[in-house]
Amino acid sequence: MYMRSVQFLMLTGLFIHCAVINAQSPGLGTPIDEIDIAAWNIDVLPDGTGLPSGEGNAVQGKIIYEQKCIVCHGLNGQGGISPALAGGEPLSNGIDTAKTIGNFWPYATTIFDYTRRAMPWFAPRTLTDNEVYSLTAYLLALNNIIDQEDIMDATSLPAVEMPNRDGFIIRFPERTP
Amino acid sequence: MSKHSSIDSFRDLRPAAANGLYDRRAFLKGGTAFATAIGGYTLSETLNAQSLVDDPWSASAGTPTGPYEARSRFENSVVRTMTNPNGEPRSQQSRTPHHMLDGTFTPNGLHFVISRSGPPDIDPDQHRLAIHGLVKQPLIFTLDSLMRYPMVSRMAFVECGGNSAPMWSPEPLDANVQALHGLVSSAEWSGVMLSTLLEEAGIEPSAKWLIAEGSDSLALHRSVPLSKALDDAMIAMYQNGERLMPGNGYPMRLLLPGWEGNMNVKWLRRIELVDQPAMSIYEARTYAPILPGGKAYQFYFLQEVKSFITHPSPGLLLSDHGFYEISGIAYSANGRISKVMVSADGGESWAEAELQAPVLPKAFTRFRIPWQWDGGPAVLQSRAWDEAGYVQPTRSEIVAARGEASRVPNVNGFPSQHYNGPTSWQVNQTGEVKHVYA
């Protein structure tokens, strides 16, 4: 009788344990709240999801650019040891045409995202959100996409119409959601 | 025995294609017919038979075996090339020396690496992987916890979307297979299936993509369709049996078998399930090849069927006439390699190569075929088919569809991406091999 009880308890215990974990997973992940991932979660999506509060314009951005960016990307975004960010020839000039923000990038949000996560190269993620908005505005203005005084923020940036927005063909549509 | 006796043996065999290509199974059928065949790629004259004496290294005991094996000092020239050895603020590429390797996986020290800002020095005990976004319960994993999960091992190639980019050049390049095709390697990867972890977190129905992000200084991130994540994606922690090399993502990377190398995010720290792609710089700009006319391809996920000959190839001098094995590598994101054809006359005639077993999906397949070099000019070329029915395009086909660079590029440059046409090697009468278009 005693052994039976132990077996019964073991069986029910095992049953309960199985019921709370996924059948295919040992369930060793530790639950975490989104707020505790916030410091890592710096993704900005094309519709503006993830853009922080803050703002800036090209006039402010030019000052920051000439302090922190010009050494690699050159005067007025013309390129140096790092790629050119402004200008650019028509893409119909050849498959090896240099890609710039003006002639290629389809979404303005990509400028904010990459600048915030990866620049400056020697000290990534040290720019304030206002600085990133200002630099994004400066790069857009250099490419004559917005005006010098236009304010870039979480609302205006995703609404910027990039010149090459419709310049793409999905290579594998059957595999692309 | 004369070193030329192998030529006599060949006289009894029927050629499989012009200019010295023989039946791929000649060795298997012929047995001793090739016993005196010249074995490979000596840079010096083949020795004539002579009386043997003890060599100096046989005269005394050898050296102690170390805790981690180092290769023979005579192999020290088998190295990757480096484009940015001083770590300047730009990406760095290390290319695999395929012409000095054989088989179907790449030694860990020679696996290609592209790093945007240098491999980070990650303490594995402090590393974390977060899975969050459109999931029922965000989760965080330590390396220790992942090590307790059911593991899977599989062979898979990883290829940079820009591998073979010099082949977009309008003229052939003075370059070897390492320079042209060194940004692809193959390894056995072991780790946890990503689907296991995503199912543990619970996938919300609105999730369509995931964003994978590394813990390198640039926090490199790429968007991956959820369908690929649930198909065969792996959180890889071992490479050829040992922990990942730092350049390949230590302590963990995303492995997407067959898909564009840059998407196989290294130093993986975060996976966010989302309803739209991030349009990160690498998918919106870098790996979006421009097409003739000015449009550009977006989301060029697959590394399509490709092959190239590694032996002979530039830098390997054919020191004598006679027998050589032509061998090379073939692979496809669409599954197994089903056939490789080889030509020794620039594509005029073709013979089917032997595929080294086992032929595994989305992994390197080694092909081999016997070849008798008569000392005359030859142009060697390979072409591969995969089990999904795709065939490596000819150069004229790929140029017609995708164009070519407007000028001859730097051999380390990337005029475009995703070239999978054939590669031609011309053997001249002195036994030197160079890149040509044929």
Side-chain angles (χ1 to χ4, degrees):
Chain A
M1 189 64 198
Y2 171 75
M3 282 303 293
R4 257 190 202 184
S5 301
V6 171
Q7 284 175 350
F8 177 73
L9 285 171
M10 286 173 69
L11 282 169
T12 51
L14 192 62
F15 185 76
I16 289 165
H17 188 59
C18 286
V20 296
I21 66 166
N22 186 298
Q24 293 177 21
S25 168
L28 300 173
T30 304
I32 186 172
D33 291 333
E34 281 286 351
I35 196 164
D36 293 318
I37 306 173
W40 279 9
N41 185 5
I42 53 175
D43 298 332
V44 173
L45 306 184
D47 68 358
T49 301
L51 279 171
S53 58
E55 63 174 43
N57 67 19
V59 178
Q60 297 156 330
K62 180 177 168 66
I63 298 166
I64 303 159
Y65 181 90
E66 290 177 354
Q67 289 171 347
K68 298 186 175 181
C69 317
I70 199 168
V71 62
C72 293
H73 288 285
L75 185 67
N76 298 323
Q78 294 306 301
I81 65 168
S82 297
L85 300 167
E89 300 168 3
L91 300 178
S92 54
N93 279 11
I95 65 167
D96 50 351
T97 304
K99 298 170 183 174
T100 69
I101 289 170
N103 75 1
F104 200 83
W105 293 39
Y107 297 97
T109 47
T110 306
I111 309 170
F112 185 98
D113 177 277
Y114 188 68
T115 305
R116 180 167 71 161
R117 77 172 52 240
M119 292 291 117
W121 200 89
F122 291 103
R125 296 181 297 286
T126 57
L127 299 167
T128 66
D129 290 336
N130 283 348
E131 287 178 316
V132 179
Y133 276 119
S134 301
L135 285 167
T136 303
Y138 175 65
L139 296 174
L140 289 167
L142 273 182
N143 285 283
N144 301 311
I145 298 168
I146 63 169
D147 292 330
Q148 294 289 320
E149 306 294 335
D150 287 348
I151 300 290
M152 287 294 106
D153 60 22
T155 303
S156 59
L157 182 63
V160 171
E161 290 181 24
M162 298 297 280
N164 195 41
R165 172 67 188 84
D166 297 323
F168 295 87
I169 299 166
I170 302 292
R171 177 64 183 87
F172 297 106
E174 71 282 10
R175 295 172 186 266
T176 306
Chain B
M1 269 196 268
S2 160
K3 63 182 175 180
H4 290 302
S5 61
S6 60
I7 294 174
D8 300 331
S9 308
F10 271 105
R11 282 182 187 141
D12 300 331
L13 290 172
R14 198 163 157 239
N19 211 7
L21 287 174
Y22 284 85
D23 187 289
R24 63 199 163 109
R25 299 182 193 278
F27 266 111
L28 305 176
K29 290 180 194 161
T32 57
F34 299 93
T36 57
I38 295 162
Y41 293 86
T42 52
L43 295 177
S44 57
E45 279 293 303
T46 307
L47 290 173
N48 288 315
Q50 54 184 265
S51 299
L52 300 176
V53 295
D54 247 5
D55 290 309
W57 50 81
S58 303
S60 59
T63 54
T65 302
Y68 193 92
E69 192 76 9
R71 62 191 175 174
S72 162
R73 62 193 171 95
F74 296 103
E75 297 300 311
N76 285 344
S77 64
V78 182
V79 291
R80 299 179 300 192
T81 50
M82 297 181 290
T83 58
N84 186 5
N86 298 321
E88 290 163 16
R90 54 188 172 86
S91 72
Q92 39 185 294
Q93 301 129 28
S94 300
R95 288 172 164 83
T96 297
H98 294 297
H99 57 305
M100 298 199 266
L101 303 173
D102 205 311
T104 54
F105 73 88
T106 312
N108 286 344
L110 297 173
H111 197 289
F112 92 89
V113 169
I114 294 186
S115 173
R116 303 286 160 179
S117 61
D121 183 25
I122 296 175
D123 176 349
D125 295 335
Q126 301 298 316
H127 185 77
R128 298 290 183 274
L129 172 64
I131 295 180
H132 71 116
L134 296 174
V135 295
K136 293 183 171 60
Q137 174 60 62
L139 296 172
I140 200 152
F141 298 89
T142 63
L143 188 64
D144 274 351
S145 65
L146 288 179
M147 286 291 169
R148 293 171 57 189
Y149 277 71
M151 291 236 196
V152 172
S153 298
R154 68 162 296 159
M155 294 288 289
F157 76 85
V158 178
E159 181 178 37
C160 173
N163 189 39
S164 317
M167 302 290 289
W168 294 111
S169 170
E171 295 169 23
L173 293 161
D174 182 15
N176 66 6
V177 69
Q178 182 173 21
L180 297 177
H181 303 301
L183 296 176
V184 62
S185 303
S186 193
E188 185 201 56
W189 307 91
S190 301
V192 180
M193 296 305 287
L194 178 55
S195 57
T196 304
L197 304 182
L198 294 180
E199 283 159 14
E200 182 178 329
I203 302 167
E204 294 285 2
S206 55
K208 301 276 192 296
W209 296 78
L210 64 79
I211 300 170
E213 178 188 86
S215 58
D216 51 314
S217 73
L218 306 185
L220 186 150
H221 70 316
R222 286 296 303 265
S223 308
V224 181
L226 194 57
S227 54
K228 177 65 174 177
L230 296 175
D231 175 15
D232 60 359
M234 176 195 287
I235 307 298
M237 294 176 283
Y238 291 89
Q239 173 184 358
N240 292 329
E242 61 183 353
R243 292 284 180 90
L244 300 184
M245 284 286 172
N248 280 291
Y250 182 89
M252 62 182 72
R253 77 176 304 168
L254 184 60
L255 182 75
L256 304 173
W259 284 34
E260 188 177 75
N262 182 259
M263 300 176 72
N264 293 248
V265 173
K266 299 184 282 194
W267 316 295
L268 184 69
R269 76 170 184 184
R270 191 166 66 91
I271 289 174
E272 180 180 14
L273 270 59
V274 288
D275 61 359
Q276 60 191 298
M279 290 297 176
S280 85
I281 189 171
Y282 298 108
E283 53 218 28
R285 171 193 177 273
T286 308
Y287 294 101
I290 301 170
L291 298 166
K295 294 278 188 179
Y297 272 142
Q298 195 171 64
F299 298 127
Y300 207 132
F301 299 134
L302 302 189
Q303 297 300 127
E304 298 167 285
V305 59
K306 189 189 288 188
S307 70
F308 49 83
I309 292 168
T310 59
H311 301 76
S313 68
L316 300 174
L317 184 69
L318 277 61
S319 56
D320 197 2
H321 305 171
F323 177 81
Y324 291 86
E325 179 178 81
I326 295 173
S327 103
I329 293 165
Y331 50 94
S332 170
N334 283 306
R336 292 175 181 79
I337 292 297
S338 57
K339 182 173 71 171
V340 176
M341 301 295 285
V342 172
S343 173
D345 56 7
E348 293 292 313
S349 67
W350 296 86
E352 187 169 355
E354 182 73 7
L355 303 183
Q356 176 72 62
V359 177
L360 298 171
K362 308 178 189 182
F364 276 5
T365 294
R366 174 69 56 176
F367 61 88
R368 309 178 188 277
I369 189 167
W371 180 50
Q372 179 78 1
W373 182 45
D374 65 6
V379 175
L380 311 179
Q381 196 181 95
S382 67
R383 212 172 163 206
W385 282 250
D386 67 30
E387 64 181 350
Y390 294 97
V391 53
Q392 196 176 359
T394 66
R395 179 163 179 85
S396 58
E397 286 169 348
I398 198 168
V399 168
R402 300 279 310 279
E404 59 185 354
S406 59
R407 61 189 75 84
V408 175
N410 181 304
V411 72
N412 292 325
F414 295 94
S416 188
Q417 297 87 18
H418 289 278
Y419 181 94
N420 70 323
T423 304
S424 300
W425 304 130
Q426 182 180 67
V427 181
N428 72 16
Q429 287 166 330
T430 60
E432 290 171 336
V433 186
K434 69 171 188 175
H435 176 224
V436 295
Y437 287 149

